[in-house]
Amino acid sequence: QVTLRESGPALVKPTQTLTLTCTFSGFSLSTSGMCVSWIRQPPGKALEWLARIDWDDDKYYYTSLKTRLTISKDTSKNQVVLTMTNMDPVDTATYYCARGGRMIAYGMDVWGQGTTVTVSS
Amino acid sequence: DIQMTQSPSSLSASVGDRVTITCRASQSISTNLNWYQQKPGKAPNLLIYAASSLQSGVPSRFSGSGSGTYFTLTISSLQPEDFAIYHCQQSYSSPLTFGGGTKVEIK
């Protein structure tokens, strides 16, 4: 059974750096074709894809947030970490991690439950 | 970046109705288009990948079609559990982008 779980602070102050961890089980991110993405959803708004890391350590970022985002993986721990610098109240959202892969045209077939992050002083 | 535009943004329908949602890409994405269903307070659930492939476990009343810049998601006979928000997403090129969502409500 494939599962993913997001963890991180529920509240961050403006200008701080957010660090989110996605801990997964049931698959290996060293398997060819596998990837993990981060997606967020502000309250009442659309989904916004943020970043993706592939099995071969290729990394992809949302254009307008590229300078603030860093994605990394620890294959031995089955974790993917996303950091976002200089947080702002507009970054308040539910943050999800999700598994994707070449076998499903890089759709995302298993999602974590999401973690809500509020940016406020 | 590739822009994804869904229409309508919301619709009202009755149980048993046939429902079609459209998604347009700002440039050709071949068949690299995925559809998700999201219920309140829950994470999205993959329904269709590669424009027309039904994800395992998804009821056959859901179908997808299209290529290039125009895509559709069809629910052949709407069921009570289908009232939700539907999202399209392109996986042709980075950054991967989502449409704005379509809310399907009960008439």
Side-chain angles (χ1 to χ4, degrees):
Chain A
Q1 180 189 9
V2 174
T3 64
L4 301 96
R5 185 184 76 250
E6 306 88 351
S7 58
L11 178 67
V12 297
K13 297 184 187 315
T15 75
Q16 286 187 335
T17 294
L18 172 68
T19 299
L20 295 174
T21 300
C22 177
T23 303
F24 58 86
S25 63
F27 70 99
S28 173
L29 199 42
S30 60
T31 299
S32 177
M34 285 290 179
C35 61
V36 171
S37 284
W38 283 94
I39 307 97
R40 71 179 180 181
Q41 188 171 37
K45 296 190 176 181
L47 297 167
E48 185 173 67
W49 177 87
L50 298 176
R52 189 182 96 190
I53 189 164
D54 290 359
W55 79 99
D56 57 1
D57 212 38
D58 278 351
K59 299 164 187 174
Y60 306 89
Y61 295 101
Y62 182 37
T63 307
S64 63
L65 295 175
K66 189 171 185 176
T67 59
R68 299 174 52 204
L69 295 173
T70 302
I71 192 169
S72 62
K73 63 181 173 71
D74 186 330
T75 305
S76 65
K77 293 183 178 180
N78 281 351
Q79 290 182 333
V80 171
V81 175
L82 181 76
T83 62
M84 181 180 295
T85 61
N86 195 25
M87 293 292 286
D88 183 272
V90 300
D91 298 312
T92 294
T94 297
Y95 288 74
Y96 297 99
C97 62
R99 182 184 80 159
R102 187 170 54 209
M103 65 288 187
I104 50 169
Y106 292 102
M108 292 169 277
D109 65 340
V110 185
W111 294 58
Q113 64 184 14
T115 187
T116 300
V117 178
T118 301
V119 184
S120 174
S121 54
Chain B
D1 298 1
I2 298 174
Q3 308 303 317
M4 305 301 295
T5 304
Q6 282 183 243
S7 61
S9 57
S10 66
L11 65 90
S12 296
S14 300
V15 172
D17 283 353
R18 182 181 182 89
V19 170
T20 298
I21 299 166
T22 65
C23 182
R24 293 181 185 268
S26 60
Q27 66 184 75
S28 177
I29 57 171
S30 185
T31 57
N32 294 282
L33 191 282
N34 310 300
W35 290 98
Y36 302 85
Q37 177 193 65
Q38 186 179 26
K39 296 183 178 179
K42 300 294 187 181
N45 180 48
L46 180 66
L47 299 175
I48 301 284
Y49 64 93
S52 61
S53 295
L54 192 67
Q55 172 66 355
S56 176
V58 174
S60 59
R61 64 180 178 274
F62 291 93
S63 64
S65 67
S67 66
T69 63
Y70 183 79
F71 302 86
T72 60
L73 173 71
T74 298
I75 309 172
S76 60
S77 177
L78 199 64
Q79 298 301 300
E81 60 267 31
D82 301 337
F83 293 95
I85 297 175
Y86 294 84
H87 307 272
C88 65
Q89 175 242 332
Q90 64 85 14
S91 52
Y92 178 77
S93 68
S94 179
L96 310 186
T97 41
F98 286 91
T102 295
K103 187 174 185 178
V104 176
E105 299 177 300
I106 302 173
K107 180 182 285 185

